[in-house]
Amino acid sequence: MAKIAYAFIVSVALTFSPVAGALQPPQGDIPADGYNIPPGALDDALNAFASRNRLQLIYAPALVARRRSAGLKGRPGIREGLAQLLDGTGLTAVAVKANVYLLQPAPRPRPKPVPQPFVQKPQALPKAPTTTELDTVHVTGTRIGRAAFESSLPLTLITNEQIRASGHQTLFDLLRLTPGMTGHHPRNVATEGGASQVPSAAAASASLYSLGPRATLFLVDGRRMANYGLVSTDMGALTDLNGIPLSMVDHIEIAHGGASAIYGADAMAGVVNIILKKDYRGAEVGGSYGVSQRGDAEQQREYASFGEQTPGGGSIFVSIDHFTRNPLIGSQREWSTLDQSSNGLADRRFRSGFGYRDPYEVVAPIEGCDSLDGPPGDKVKDRCSLDVPQYVSLQPGITSNALYAYWRQPIGEDTELYADVRATRVGLEMQNAPFFAGVSLPNDHPDAYKPNPNLDLNYWFSDVGPVRNRTVTSTRDYTAGIKGYRGKWEWDVSFSRRSNKVVNRIDGLINLPAAETAITTKSYHFNKADENSPEVLADLSPQTTLGGEVVLDTLSGSIEGPLFALPAGDVQIAAGFEARHEHLRNRPDNSFKQGDIALAQQLDDRNASRNTSAVYAEVNVPLHDKLWADVAWRVDRNSGYGNQVSPMFGVRWQPWKSLILRGSFGEGYRAPTLAELRRPLLVDTLAAVRADASTRPCLYDYEIACVVEQRATINPDLRPETSTSRSLGLIWTPSESFTATLNRYRIRRRNEILAINATGRPDLFPEALVRDEEGNLTAVETYLDNIGSTEVRGWEIDTEYRRQTQDWGNFAFRLNGHYMDRLLRRPHPAEQELDYAGFGTPNRTVLGSVRWTYRDWIATLNLRYMGHAKVIVTRPGVACPVIDDIPARCRTPSATLLGLDLAYGGFDKWLIGLNISNLNDRRPVNYDYNLGGYSIVDDDPVGRYYLISAVYRF
């Protein structure tokens, strides 16, 4: 098997600096003794050619599998020789810069280009009867195809080889740990809106720059994904990442900063474009098995793919994937506990007993609960103390099945049809602690506290069991389109349908009418829970169901080409339109609609739809052979919100061949989603509002507070959110082996849609105060309104160094870091702006890797560093408090995790891999009592983990 020194994917695209004008031929373009590369495997021919000329050829091993070359003889130039080697293979090479080429599929015929004296893009090889034309490459961050990867917006590429070497098996885990991104764990999504015990949804998502999912747009092959089928008001319209298996992903492109002018709403912080595999010849089967050092959290994956050329120069690709992962529960890790005495803090486990609706303080314990001591599993201890983190899912269980197919077929010389289909079914299993609450018992109830019957019983229903939910999400995506060329112009028209259907079944919740009946009839025993009959428990806690679906239909068209010529090159333009219809359906069962579930939000049936349309244009202007300008406009029209223009302007300046300076400015716009045009997810309950001039007179006045009803309502007057974004950066390439990119960003979001806090600040929301006919305050309403603003500022750096040796193989070093120096949030224009950078999650993260390629081996050492994080026990600027006479710890320590990946390709047609993640077996440390010793966003709860994999290519 040929050495793969030059063949493996490296993190190079989107980090190399573009070169103005045509690439100059490298020195020594024609070897003195000529070439004598015999016909054979394309991989072998490319390696021989690259070694002879000291070239960097970038391609995935799967791309050249089963492809053969006719060989090369004589003394052609490098560009002509490379084209001859690729002739008839269906591949093309993109000239990234001198001596660096990227291989990719050449899926369609193109007319012979007309040579231009000054061209902003690197020139393709001249077309000859025996050569293959070198194509351009399209990247996220611009609608204009460019062989130079960089645009005015900072761009990052996650290659297929980086995905494999990371050891991650889900798209969520891969993206949440990327510097600058924040993960939204299914457990957080499931219990949002203050209903910490009622898992209303279960999706896994991520977002850029701590601006939430509403500000990050996710695309698959450049087209929008359907939002998650269940309503998620606090986080906006979520994009669920569980439905895209990593085995089907070719690479991922991330455009940082505001891109609303190019891609529209939800792109205020950036765009994540997930590119699926397409053109591939041959077959491949693979599998993996993983287990933690402690023998749990097992997972396994099996997948197969097949690709072949069709008659007439088309292609077809089919892939299937099956993935399972066992759940990991808090009881399987000793650090997952509310007893933080080992860290010098307090034991905050909930005690069962009588008190004033405060599970932390008990006036009198229930019978037999004078002590919390006892061995694990002791029934008395379990009944008397509730350690919530021991029950929760640190890692949900997953079962996923997926099918993906792609087809394209040329018709005529300059037109082709294409279509794809993707279907997935994902089952997600999670659990939480048994339901707990304050229970008011009648004075004559045998379990009431006789010395003071007015005290409530702090109680959890251990006999019912943990709150468990199983969510089944079905995704169906279809696309059909036609594209072609006319002269130098390229056009594309397509229709796509994206659907996301969710069914969530929940066990362990408490039915209020059944609980009230059980208390009244004294059929439920609180002191002797083991005596409760199965019939009583079945009535008390029936299974509940939530269902929802989002369907997104999109008709789009685009055209791209040279508008006119300037001395420095052609003015390129890309223009297009989109017409979308979105339909949302939510179907909660009757227990949710009637408000029968304890501490749950009352939900309604919803059947809403919206039409959205947009036109856009982007222009790239070569002002000088070293200066380019990018200008974009987009006009969005949303039902009920009129038209909104989003402009963007960027500039790139290359004063020297090794240095590029760039900057951009843009405005963003996001209309309220269908998920936000409803009541907030709020538990209707009684609330205490301060008694002052803004609230008095109130019906129930207790001198310092008014007791009122708190309820949720709809705000029909929501307005769109807006944003501005700025970025400055540089790309420095002092040599062929070193590249560094530095970016500074600043994003400001205004008119932010938040749930108002009328109980905490009634003076700011007089319209939310409800009074009776006599003017007495009786209730406070909560609704969504455009009251907030957020500003985020930070730095990003990406560097890479490559070293080739004759005897010890090749080395590649990469460092990708993010530092957020400001996260300014203002919950209301009249309130103070506070800096939350580093609160809850680290504001500095680094990913690093060292890769060594030697003969048939590839070894990669990965590093992930997280800075310290401030514990959110109070707001910024307030001193770390003392809780229960014990000083709190308000800053978690930094952490460094190591990983090792080994791959061996010395066996015929086999690639064998071993990945060890969290090599140093670092255990989580977090001092926030509410988190149970673990940051669900950043920490690794599993510990050292072993994953073996094997791939066989036919």
Side-chain angles (χ1 to χ4, degrees):
M1 182 176 179
K3 295 180 181 180
I4 52 177
Y6 298 94
F8 67 96
I9 295 180
V10 294
S11 167
V12 67
L14 301 179
T15 60
F16 285 133
S17 69
V19 180
L23 293 176
Q24 298 300 318
Q27 297 298 320
D29 192 40
I30 302 176
D33 55 350
Y35 299 101
N36 187 20
I37 300 176
L42 178 60
D43 194 28
D44 295 341
L46 290 173
N47 282 316
F49 187 79
S51 299
R52 186 66 178 273
N53 295 283
R54 299 191 63 82
L55 298 179
Q56 181 76 26
L57 300 182
I58 309 162
Y59 58 89
L63 191 65
V64 299
R66 292 193 65 188
R67 285 185 165 94
R68 296 183 62 82
S69 172
L72 180 64
K73 294 184 182 296
R75 301 176 65 246
I78 285 181
R79 300 167 70 83
E80 291 78 10
L82 182 56
Q84 289 183 36
L85 287 176
L86 297 175
D87 183 38
T89 65
L91 299 179
T92 184
V94 176
V96 179
K97 61 178 182 179
N99 288 355
V100 182
Y101 296 86
L102 171 70
L103 267 62
Q104 64 178 23
R108 71 276 185 194
R110 297 185 66 173
K112 181 179 179 180
V114 179
Q116 298 292 328
F118 297 95
V119 181
Q120 184 261 327
K121 299 186 290 186
Q123 290 289 318
L125 291 182
K127 188 78 175 283
T130 59
T131 62
T132 299
E133 179 188 351
L134 298 193
D135 206 353
T136 58
V137 63
H138 292 249
V139 296
T140 306
T142 176
R143 300 277 189 178
I144 297 174
R146 297 173 184 160
F149 285 102
E150 293 293 347
S151 71
S152 300
L153 290 177
L155 299 165
T156 298
L157 176 75
I158 303 176
T159 67
N160 186 270
E161 181 62 22
Q162 287 176 321
I163 294 172
R164 189 203 61 77
S166 71
H168 297 309
Q169 294 296 295
T170 67
L171 183 60
F172 167 69
D173 287 329
L174 176 73
L175 291 178
R176 76 180 179 94
L177 300 178
T178 300
M181 297 203 77
T182 301
H184 304 286
H185 194 279
R187 200 175 84 210
N188 274 2
V189 173
T191 56
E192 59 144 349
S196 59
Q197 301 185 66
V198 183
S200 58
S205 193
S207 61
L208 283 160
Y209 305 142
S210 297
L211 289 176
R214 293 178 296 178
T216 301
L217 176 61
F218 283 89
L219 309 173
V220 173
D221 291 332
R223 293 175 175 83
R224 286 173 174 264
M225 299 175 61
N227 291 326
Y228 185 62
L230 289 178
V231 170
S232 179
T233 301
D234 280 11
M235 295 185 180
L238 283 169
T239 300
D240 186 20
L241 301 177
N242 282 323
I244 304 178
L246 279 179
S247 67
M248 298 177 179
V249 176
D250 183 79
H251 65 277
I252 300 170
E253 300 166 354
I254 303 174
H256 303 264
S260 292
I262 303 173
Y263 293 100
D266 309 326
M268 293 179 176
V271 179
V272 179
N273 192 8
I274 303 159
I275 308 299
L276 302 181
K277 297 177 180 177
K278 294 178 179 63
D279 286 88
Y280 177 82
R281 296 183 188 177
E284 177 179 304
V285 294
S288 62
Y289 172 80
V291 64
S292 78
Q293 180 175 278
R294 295 158 182 82
D296 51 24
E298 291 179 282
Q299 64 180 12
Q300 64 183 47
R301 162 166 272 135
E302 301 89 26
Y303 73 92
S305 59
F306 170 79
E308 190 55 81
Q309 187 173 5
T310 62
S315 65
I316 187 170
F317 177 79
V318 180
S319 180
I320 58 174
D321 180 278
H322 172 73
F323 175 68
T324 59
R325 184 177 68 188
N326 292 343
L328 183 69
I329 308 302
S331 58
Q332 297 174 265
R333 296 294 182 267
E334 60 180 11
W335 48 259
S336 181
T337 176
L338 287 174
D339 182 3
Q340 293 291 314
S341 55
S342 61
N343 291 323
L345 301 174
D347 181 355
R348 300 294 295 274
R349 289 176 292 173
F350 299 152
R351 295 190 64 187
S352 182
F354 296 93
Y356 295 97
R357 289 187 182 271
D358 188 347
Y360 289 109
E361 297 180 4
V362 173
V363 175
I366 63 174
E367 181 181 341
C369 290
D370 296 323
S371 173
L372 295 182
D373 297 330
D378 180 78
K379 291 185 178 181
V380 174
K381 177 186 175 183
D382 290 344
R383 182 168 62 93
C384 299
S385 63
L386 176 64
D387 197 355
V388 171
Q390 287 283 289
Y391 291 89
V392 300
S393 296
L394 301 177
Q395 180 174 272
I398 297 178
T399 301
S400 170
N401 295 285
L403 167 69
Y404 165 66
Y406 172 81
W407 168 83
R408 65 172 186 84
Q409 185 64 46
I411 50 175
E413 291 296 322
D414 54 6
T415 308
E416 73 175 29
L417 300 173
Y418 63 92
D420 64 61
V421 58
R422 182 169 58 89
T424 63
R425 188 179 189 273
V426 180
L428 198 69
E429 295 182 358
M430 292 194 305
Q431 79 168 38
N432 210 332
F435 189 87
F436 58 95
V439 181
S440 298
L441 299 178
N443 296 345
D444 61 346
H445 197 283
D447 295 330
Y449 184 56
K450 303 308 179 186
N452 186 354
N454 293 323
L455 291 180
D456 289 331
L457 173 62
N458 293 320
Y459 184 80
W460 51 92
F461 295 84
S462 58
D463 48 353
V464 171
V467 176
R468 301 172 303 278
N469 69 301
R470 174 175 173 78
T471 304
V472 177
T473 304
S474 300
T475 302
R476 301 290 185 268
D477 290 357
Y478 311 94
T479 303
I482 182 171
K483 59 183 176 181
Y485 301 88
R486 187 174 182 86
K488 297 181 181 180
W489 290 83
E490 177 181 355
W491 56 270
D492 189 316
V493 178
S494 67
F495 173 80
S496 64
R497 164 162 287 195
R498 308 282 190 257
S499 67
N500 186 284
K501 183 178 181 180
V502 186
V503 177
N504 184 14
R505 295 180 173 87
I506 312 171
D507 295 289
L509 300 179
I510 301 301
N511 184 278
L512 275 176
E516 293 170 355
T517 300
I519 293 173
T520 302
T521 61
K522 304 179 180 59
S523 58
Y524 183 83
H525 307 283
F526 291 90
N527 277 336
K528 299 179 180 180
D530 53 348
E531 297 182 3
N532 291 316
S533 67
E535 292 77 15
V536 170
L537 296 180
D539 291 339
L540 187 67
S541 180
Q543 185 180 82
T544 57
T545 304
L546 293 169
E549 183 178 17
V550 171
V551 178
L552 178 65
D553 293 327
T554 304
L555 176 66
S556 62
S558 65
I559 187 169
E560 172 202 332
L563 196 59
F564 56 85
L566 292 177
D570 287 342
V571 174
Q572 298 284 332
I573 185 172
F577 72 90
E578 293 179 359
R580 301 193 301 271
H581 176 77
E582 184 179 17
H583 194 172
L584 167 68
R585 289 186 290 266
N586 282 151
R587 301 177 301 277
D589 66 15
N590 289 331
S591 57
F592 279 104
K593 290 190 287 187
Q594 296 169 6
D596 291 344
I597 304 300
L599 299 185
Q601 314 93 332
Q602 185 173 350
L603 303 176
D604 303 317
D605 281 329
R606 295 202 68 210
N607 194 337
S609 62
R610 168 186 289 169
N611 293 320
T612 304
S613 59
V615 293
Y616 64 86
E618 180 187 3
V619 181
N620 174 250
V621 183
L623 303 174
H624 186 265
D625 59 356
K626 295 183 178 180
L627 181 65
W628 302 267
D630 299 310
V631 182
W633 301 267
R634 184 182 178 98
V635 180
D636 286 275
R637 181 176 180 81
N638 289 275
S639 300
Y641 298 99
N643 299 328
Q644 179 71 33
V645 178
S646 300
M648 191 275 286
F649 174 78
V651 64
R652 292 178 296 132
W653 178 42
Q654 188 174 8
W656 302 287
K657 183 177 180 180
S658 62
L659 180 66
I660 286 182
L661 304 176
R662 64 184 175 190
S664 67
F665 171 82
E667 296 182 0
Y669 154 85
R670 188 187 73 85
T673 65
L674 293 177
E676 291 166 323
L677 298 176
R678 54 158 294 138
R679 300 186 303 171
L681 299 185
L682 173 74
V683 178
D684 292 347
T685 183
L686 296 178
V689 181
R690 71 186 185 198
D692 58 18
S694 66
T695 57
R696 283 182 171 138
C698 48
L699 187 60
Y700 299 102
D701 193 335
Y702 292 89
E703 295 185 2
I704 63 172
C706 299
V707 176
V708 297
E709 178 186 358
Q710 186 180 19
R711 61 197 187 199
T713 187
I714 299 174
N715 180 7
D717 299 322
L718 278 180
R719 295 172 288 113
E721 296 179 340
T722 59
S723 70
T724 56
S725 65
R726 299 175 177 87
S727 70
L728 291 173
L730 62 86
I731 308 161
W732 183 45
T733 311
S735 68
E736 298 291 335
S737 58
F738 180 78
T739 299
T741 302
L742 179 66
N743 295 298
R744 169 70 171 173
Y745 67 87
R746 179 180 178 182
I747 302 172
R748 181 81 176 182
R749 183 167 62 185
R750 301 177 180 85
N751 300 321
E752 201 168 24
I753 299 174
L754 302 173
I756 68 169
N757 181 22
T759 56
R761 291 294 306 271
D763 55 312
L764 298 180
F765 307 100
E767 63 277 8
L769 307 182
V770 180
R771 300 183 181 274
D772 60 17
E773 295 178 354
E774 298 179 358
N776 294 314
L777 180 65
T778 60
V780 172
E781 293 182 334
T782 296
Y783 49 84
L784 299 174
D785 203 355
N786 300 90
I787 56 174
S789 65
T790 301
E791 180 175 333
V792 58
R793 309 175 198 167
W795 296 87
E796 294 174 304
I797 186 170
D798 194 350
T799 65
E800 183 179 359
Y801 174 71
R802 299 173 302 280
R803 176 71 175 174
Q804 298 179 359
T805 67
Q806 292 184 350
D807 299 326
W808 296 100
N810 300 327
F811 296 86
F813 305 85
R814 189 179 185 216
L815 194 68
N816 184 3
H818 174 255
Y819 171 65
M820 180 185 294
D821 57 16
R822 291 288 186 275
L823 180 58
L824 305 174
R825 298 191 187 278
R826 191 189 300 272
H828 188 276
E831 295 197 74
Q832 181 183 2
E833 188 175 59
L834 300 176
D835 186 2
Y836 283 88
F839 271 81
T841 186
N843 66 335
R844 62 195 73 190
T845 54
V846 174
L847 282 182
S849 66
V850 179
R851 174 170 300 191
W852 178 39
T853 305
Y854 183 73
R855 295 182 179 175
D856 295 319
W857 289 90
I858 300 177
T860 306
L861 180 66
N862 296 308
L863 175 146
R864 179 165 68 94
Y865 168 80
M866 303 177 294
H868 66 262
K870 301 170 187 176
V871 176
I872 303 182
V873 293
T874 183
R875 68 179 187 174
V878 178
C880 193
V882 175
I883 304 176
D884 297 338
D885 298 325
I886 298 177
R889 294 189 178 185
C890 291
R891 194 173 83 164
T892 60
S894 61
T896 301
L897 279 73
L898 300 176
L900 177 65
D901 182 80
L902 296 174
Y904 179 70
F907 301 117
D908 185 30
K909 300 182 181 180
W910 284 93
L911 179 66
I912 309 297
L914 170 65
N915 184 281
I916 307 175
S917 59
N918 200 347
L919 187 64
N920 50 331
D921 199 26
R922 192 261 180 185
R923 58 165 282 179
V925 178
N926 195 287
Y927 301 134
D928 190 334
Y929 283 109
N930 297 320
L931 301 180
Y934 156 65
S935 171
I936 199 171
V937 175
D938 305 294
D939 280 323
D940 174 17
V942 181
R944 186 178 294 130
Y945 198 85
Y946 303 94
L947 181 76
I948 58 174
S949 61
V951 178
Y952 181 78
R953 297 187 177 96
F954 296 89

